[in-house]
Structure formats: C-alpha cells, structure tokens
C-alpha cells in the first residue's frame, strides 16, 4: 500500500517594499519631488526612460549601510482615491509623505491632507520642500506644524521632518533613508506563495482594451491566466504590465501593475483576491467606532477664522472634530466625512459643484445655517439623538429582509415591502437596529424569477445590491431619494 503524499506549502515570508503615498497642497511640489526621485533612483537594469503608464512607481535605493532597498510610490490623484480605499476597509499605503513648501508654509489643503492621514491612521512624515529658495523658512514651517498639533522631533514630538529640494535633489537621499527606517519599524512582511491580497488604486474603461485596473499586490502574486476578483468583479488576467509599460509574467508583493481582463471596471479601493470579496470594514475601524460611539463626529467649514474659532470653543466635549476649516465645502471634505462617518456642518459658506455632485449621488446630509445659536442647537439635538438618521432624505419605501438566496455565487436578499414601494435602480440604505450600516442601489429585482421594476406594500421580492451589502435577516431596506435639510431638520424633495 502506497503512502499518501501530503503536499506541503513552503512559506517564503520576506520583507516587502513599503508602499508610500505622497500628498500635500497642489503647488507645494509633490509631483516634482516624485519625478526627481524617479529620475535618480530608477533600477539600473530597467531599459529606456520613464514612461509612467500607471499611477504608481517603484524605485531602488542604496542605503548608507550598502543594502539595496525598493520603495513603491503611489501617485495619489487627490483625496478621492485615498479615502475610497479606506472606506472599503483596505490598507493601501504603509506610509504617507506630507509635502509642505518652505516658502508657503501650511495651507488649508495641507490641513485637509493631515486630517485625511490621521483619519486613516497611517504613519507619516513631513518633507519640507523648496529649501533652495531664498524665501524659504524651514523653522517657520516647523513652528506652524507645532501650532496644528504635529510636533517635530526636535521640538519634543515624534514627527519626522526632512528638508528637501525637488529642484536640486538636496535631502532626497535622507528622505528615502527615513522612509526605509520607518518601514523597518513596521516589520513589513509578505509571502509570495500565500493567498493573493491586493487593492485597486486606479481603474478605467479603455476604448481599445476594455476595463483596465492598476492593482497593488500586498501578498501572494498575480500571474497571467489567473482568475482574480476585485470585490465581486471577475477577471481572467490577459496581460500584466509594470509601471514602465513593460509586459511581465507576474507581479509580487509590493508591485503595482496594470491588469487587463476584468469583466467590468472595478471600483477604486476594491480588495483583490482569488475569490469574490464583499466589502468589510477594517477591524481597527470597528474598534474605533465602538470606543467613540458616544461622540458626534463633525466635518465643519465656516466663512471666517473668527467664526470658526468661536464655534469650536463653544462645542461640547462629546463632539469630535474630524476636520474644520475656512472656505467653501469641497469634494475632499465630503469624502472625508463619508469615510469617517462624520456629519457635515457648514456656516455661511458655499458648496463647490464637485461636492454638490457627491452629496446628491451619495445621499450625504449637510446642515447649513448662518446663525451660530442654530448651529449649536443642532449639535445638541444630534448629540442626544433627537434627530432621525434619515433626516435629509425623502423615504420612498421600506422592506424587511426575510430570506437569503444564492445564485451563481451572488447573495440575493428576499424581502417584503412594509410601506411605500421599492423600485429597481433606486438608492437604498440598509438599516440594522435603527442604524445605517450600508448604502447602495437596488441593482436588480425579481418576483417568481421574473424581472420587475418595483414592489409595493406587502409584496415579496428578491434584490441584488450594487455594491454588495452584507445584509442579514431582519435588516430593513430603505428606498430613498435625496432632499435638502433646512435648519429645523425638515426635508424638501429634489423635485
């Protein structure tokens, strides 16, 4: 009798390159800094010049002790991608470099970047750029950092600050040394033979090539002909291209590659694996919500610095300010509120067109007023829970989840309408114990295997949500349309 052979999985746990995002004010030189790093630190074995096909790049750096290290940089095109990743429970970056110009100091967008970094809980360091300019004042920038609660090491804090010039290259080696040092403190490990874990950092629909996604590999590997999933979007990998535009046979941990073969355009921030992945919140985010459940989180914009300070000083201690600033409400503010679960309050300021679009499409609630006492009264009401979580939207119908089905791997919620109607294509909230736990669209609806456009009171139906919502029996589906909330919390429909 032959002995049964047991297949052993060989672990190849090794250090992986840190993944670094570079953020900062639009004119402070973050793109120039990245370009300078790439030009001087491209791996010598790579042929040709920089072609930058995707929103990421990988450099090789020889440290002072003589070791050769790799660093993967993500070209974050703004806060949208950065916060969408966190909203989907994916840690895309290990470290963030916040770039501040020595001649301009801390600007409003710098503060926004810092608030996004803190909300994500990602380690960061500061690169003070443009030190080659005569008008630059590094010490002044460090003092401004202290004023906003980010204290450099030399001032008794724990913030690493490096002075650089993206123009001359001065200080860049020191910046890369500090990135490697901070990465070592995190003990970043990966196993190329383990289960695939990755994240979509860019995606688009190409007219010639179809859906294309840039995937950052965090663990395992991606090879040609592999079947992979970005959340629930399937791909049969047809091509893998590195950041220099070169076709490669596989991607390993720390690599960011362009992948062809997706059946649809996957969402930015989607988790990538060998099996379909429903959206899940990060454990530390769940823990954070538990410990700060009693606090009202706010993103707050005011018309003047004086008004801002007056309101901040008058707020009760149970309010947690995620971000506060002066000027119009921007799309960055709205993204930050969405990913942190904060409510948006604005005092006598306009809402940008980009922010208005997100508010309308995403069902975001914004409280607006020009009177301070009304602002404070509203805060008090929300603290004591006097306002319904559905204030700010027009409820069209409600249905209770009474069953669950699976067809071709898709979870289908069986529900019964309790009031109003639920229509195919309508925006929906998923509520559990009177709390909104997810939102999406009723993507398809069926009765007795037939497609339907809507279900009315007492009718039962099956529904598939887009994106996937992790429903459970007893949950309530709220069909709604957006409206506007006045100072008394009343809702006016869009139409």
């Amino acid at each position: 009798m032959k002995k049964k052979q047991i297949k052993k999985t060989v672990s190849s746990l090794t250090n992986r390159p840190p993944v670094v995002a570079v953020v900062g004010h639009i004119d402070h030189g973050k793109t120039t800094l990245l370009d300078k790093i790439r030009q001087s630190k491209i791996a010598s074995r790579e042929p040709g010049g920089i072609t930058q096909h995707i929103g990421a790049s990988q450099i090789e750096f020889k440290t002072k002790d003589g070791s050769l290290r790799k660093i993967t940089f993500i070209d974050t095109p703004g806060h949208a991608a950065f916060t969408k990743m966190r909203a989907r429970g994916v840690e895309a970056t290990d470290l963030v470099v916040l770039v501040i110009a020595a001649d301009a100091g801390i600007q409003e967008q710098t503060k926004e970047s810092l608030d996004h970094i803190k909300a994500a809980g990602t380690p960061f360091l500061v690169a003070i750029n443009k030190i080659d300019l005569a008008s630059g004042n590094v010490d002044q920038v460090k003092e401004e950092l202290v004023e906003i609660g980010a204290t450099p090491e030399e001032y008794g804090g724990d913030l690493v600050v490096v002075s650089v010039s993206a123009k001359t290259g001065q200080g860049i080696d020191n910046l890369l040394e500090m990135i490697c040092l901070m990465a070592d403190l995190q003990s970043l490990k990966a196993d190329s033979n383990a289960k695939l874990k990755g994240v979509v950092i860019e995606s688009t629909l190409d007219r010639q090539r179809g859906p294309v996604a840039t995937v950052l590999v965090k663990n395992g590997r991606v090879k040609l002909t592999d079947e992979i999933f970005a959340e629930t979007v399937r791909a049969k990998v047809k091509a893998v291209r590195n950041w220099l535009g070169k076709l490669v046979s596989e991607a390993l941990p720390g690599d960011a590659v362009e992948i062809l073969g997706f059946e649809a355009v996957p969402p930015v921030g989607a988790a990538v694996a060998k099996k379909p992945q429903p959206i899940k919140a990060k454990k530390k985010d769940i823990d954070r919500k538990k410990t700060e459940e009693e606090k009202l989180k706010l993103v707050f914009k005011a018309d003047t610095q004086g008004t801002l300070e007056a309101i901040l000083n008058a707020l009760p201690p149970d309010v947690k300010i995620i971000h506060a600033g002066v000027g119009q409400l921007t799309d960055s503010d709205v993204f930050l509120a969405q990913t942190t679960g904060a409510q948006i309050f604005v005092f006598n300021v306009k809402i940008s067109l980009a922010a208005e679009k997100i508010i309308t499409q995403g069902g975001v609630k914004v409280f607006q007023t020009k009177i301070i006492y009304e602002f404070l009264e509203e805060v008090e009401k929300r603290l004591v829970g006097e306002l319904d979580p559905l204030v700010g939207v027009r409820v069209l119908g409600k249905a209770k989840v009474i069953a669950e089905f699976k067809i071709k791997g898709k979870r289908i919620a069986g529900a019964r309408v309790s009031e109003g109607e639920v229509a195919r294509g309508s925006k929906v909230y998923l509520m559990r114990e009177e709390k909104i736990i997810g939102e999406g669209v009723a993507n398809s609806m069926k009765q007795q295997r037939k497609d339907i456009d809507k279900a009315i009171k007492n009718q039962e139906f099956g529904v598939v949500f887009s994106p996937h919502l992790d429903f459970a029996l007893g949950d309530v589906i709220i069909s709604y349309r957006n409206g506007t909330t006045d100072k008394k919390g009343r809702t006016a429909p869009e139409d």
Side-chain angles (χ1 to χ4, degrees):
M1 183 177 178
K2 293 182 179 180
K3 292 183 179 179
K4 186 177 180 181
Q5 291 184 340
I6 299 174
K7 187 178 179 180
K8 295 183 179 180
T9 301
V10 179
S11 174
S12 55
L13 194 66
T14 58
N15 294 326
R16 66 164 174 80
V19 180
V20 181
V22 181
V23 301
H25 188 74
I26 190 169
D27 297 321
H28 285 203
K30 59 182 185 293
T31 301
T32 307
L33 178 61
L34 269 174
D35 286 344
K36 190 68 175 180
I37 292 171
R38 293 187 192 112
Q39 289 165 10
S40 61
K41 303 298 178 184
I42 295 301
S44 58
R45 64 177 181 274
E46 292 287 0
I50 301 170
T51 52
Q52 192 63 26
H53 279 69
I54 63 178
S57 51
Q58 191 175 81
I59 62 105
E60 279 187 347
F61 170 62
K62 194 170 186 179
T63 62
K64 290 178 181 178
D65 63 8
S67 60
L68 198 61
R69 302 286 296 272
K70 287 184 178 182
I71 302 173
T72 301
F73 287 97
I74 294 180
D75 295 350
T76 311
H79 297 309
F82 193 63
T83 51
K84 281 179 181 177
M85 291 174 195
R86 181 176 178 271
R88 285 181 146 75
V90 178
E91 286 284 10
T93 54
D94 305 306
L95 184 67
V96 177
V97 176
L98 174 61
V99 180
I100 305 173
D103 63 331
I106 294 174
Q107 304 291 312
E108 184 63 29
Q109 195 173 345
T110 314
K111 296 177 183 177
E112 288 182 6
S113 297
L114 186 58
D115 286 335
H116 279 268
I117 293 167
K118 289 179 177 178
T122 308
F124 74 102
L125 71 158
V126 169
I128 301 179
N129 190 25
K130 303 187 180 182
I131 60 172
D132 54 286
L133 298 179
S135 56
N137 190 332
V138 173
D139 290 334
Q140 178 64 36
V141 175
K142 290 180 179 178
E143 290 174 6
E144 291 176 0
L145 283 167
V146 174
E147 291 175 2
I148 63 171
T151 307
E153 288 179 322
E154 62 195 86
Y155 284 72
D158 55 7
L159 175 63
V160 174
V161 179
V162 182
S163 299
V164 300
S165 170
K167 184 177 181 181
T168 68
Q170 181 183 351
I172 285 182
D173 280 0
N174 189 29
L175 173 63
L176 298 179
E177 286 275 359
M178 295 310 300
I179 288 174
C180 291
L181 178 60
M182 292 182 69
D184 289 343
L185 293 174
Q186 296 185 57
S187 298
L188 302 173
K189 303 285 185 180
D191 185 350
S192 58
N193 293 324
K195 291 182 179 179
L196 171 65
K197 289 184 179 180
V199 57
V200 175
I201 59 174
E202 276 189 352
S203 60
T204 186
L205 180 63
D206 187 281
R207 290 184 179 180
Q208 281 76 40
R209 301 182 296 167
V212 180
T214 300
V215 173
L216 172 67
V217 180
K218 301 300 292 285
N219 210 28
R221 65 179 73 196
V222 176
K223 305 189 300 296
L224 282 171
T225 73
D226 276 353
E227 181 183 55
I228 63 174
F229 291 84
E231 287 177 3
T232 56
V233 181
R234 179 183 175 275
K236 185 76 170 178
V237 179
K238 297 178 180 178
V240 181
R241 195 182 299 269
N242 68 14
W243 76 279
L244 290 167
K246 180 182 177 182
L247 288 170
V248 294
S249 59
E250 65 178 5
L252 299 175
D255 291 343
V257 291
E258 186 182 77
I259 291 179
L260 274 65
F262 281 97
E263 295 177 345
V265 178
V268 170
V272 177
K274 292 292 182 71
K275 295 181 179 180
Q277 299 290 301
I279 301 173
K280 293 182 179 180
K282 294 181 295 183
K283 184 180 184 302
K284 69 176 184 179
D285 279 349
I286 295 171
D287 292 341
R288 185 182 297 127
K289 286 177 182 177
K290 287 179 181 177
T291 58
E292 299 184 358
E293 190 77 31
E294 72 283 359
K295 291 207 173 187
L296 175 68
K297 291 181 280 189
L298 293 185
V299 168
F300 167 39
K301 299 299 285 285
D303 55 349
T304 67
Q305 188 65 33
T307 304
L308 181 73
E309 292 176 0
I311 293 178
L312 288 177
N313 289 333
L315 290 174
D318 287 336
V319 173
K320 179 179 177 63
I321 297 296
I322 301 299
H323 173 68
V326 175
Q328 70 175 352
L329 187 75
T330 67
D331 55 344
S332 175
D333 297 320
V334 181
F335 277 126
L336 182 57
Q338 285 180 317
T339 56
T340 58
Q343 299 183 33
I344 302 174
F345 277 50
V346 296
F347 185 91
N348 199 28
V349 298
K350 294 181 179 179
I351 300 175
S352 72
L353 291 176
E356 191 71 59
K357 184 178 180 180
I358 301 168
I359 289 167
T360 302
Q361 293 178 343
V364 180
K365 298 185 284 293
V366 179
F367 178 77
Q368 296 177 268
T369 184
K370 296 182 179 180
I371 303 172
I372 289 181
Y373 79 81
E374 288 180 347
F375 187 106
L376 298 175
E377 280 184 351
E378 186 71 13
V379 169
E380 289 291 346
K381 286 180 182 179
R382 299 197 183 194
L383 275 172
V384 298
E386 290 182 4
L387 293 183
D388 189 282
L390 297 174
V391 166
V393 298
R394 182 182 178 188
V395 175
L396 303 176
K398 296 182 180 181
K400 186 175 182 178
V401 178
I402 58 175
E404 176 185 345
F405 310 97
K406 282 190 178 181
I407 299 179
K408 295 181 180 179
K410 289 186 178 180
R411 291 183 70 207
I412 300 172
R416 180 185 294 116
V417 180
S418 58
E419 62 180 79
E421 65 179 40
V422 178
R424 180 167 57 88
S426 65
K427 297 175 184 177
V428 296
Y429 286 131
L430 189 66
M431 294 191 71
R432 185 175 300 159
E433 297 178 354
E434 299 185 355
K435 292 181 181 179
I436 296 173
I437 62 167
E439 57 185 287
V441 173
N443 197 37
S444 66
M445 294 175 55
K446 292 181 181 291
Q447 277 180 347
Q448 304 295 329
R449 298 186 179 181
K450 293 182 180 180
D451 291 327
I452 59 171
D453 291 327
K454 66 178 181 180
I456 61 176
K457 187 173 182 180
N458 295 326
Q459 286 187 339
E460 295 183 0
F461 64 100
V463 59
V464 175
F465 302 110
S466 178
H468 169 83
L469 296 179
D470 193 14
F471 64 84
L473 298 185
D475 288 351
V476 177
I477 302 166
I478 307 291
S479 174
Y480 71 95
R481 67 185 306 170
N482 296 327
T484 55
T485 306
D486 65 14
K487 64 185 181 182
K488 294 184 179 179
R490 297 173 300 199
T491 303
E494 284 181 329
D495 54 356

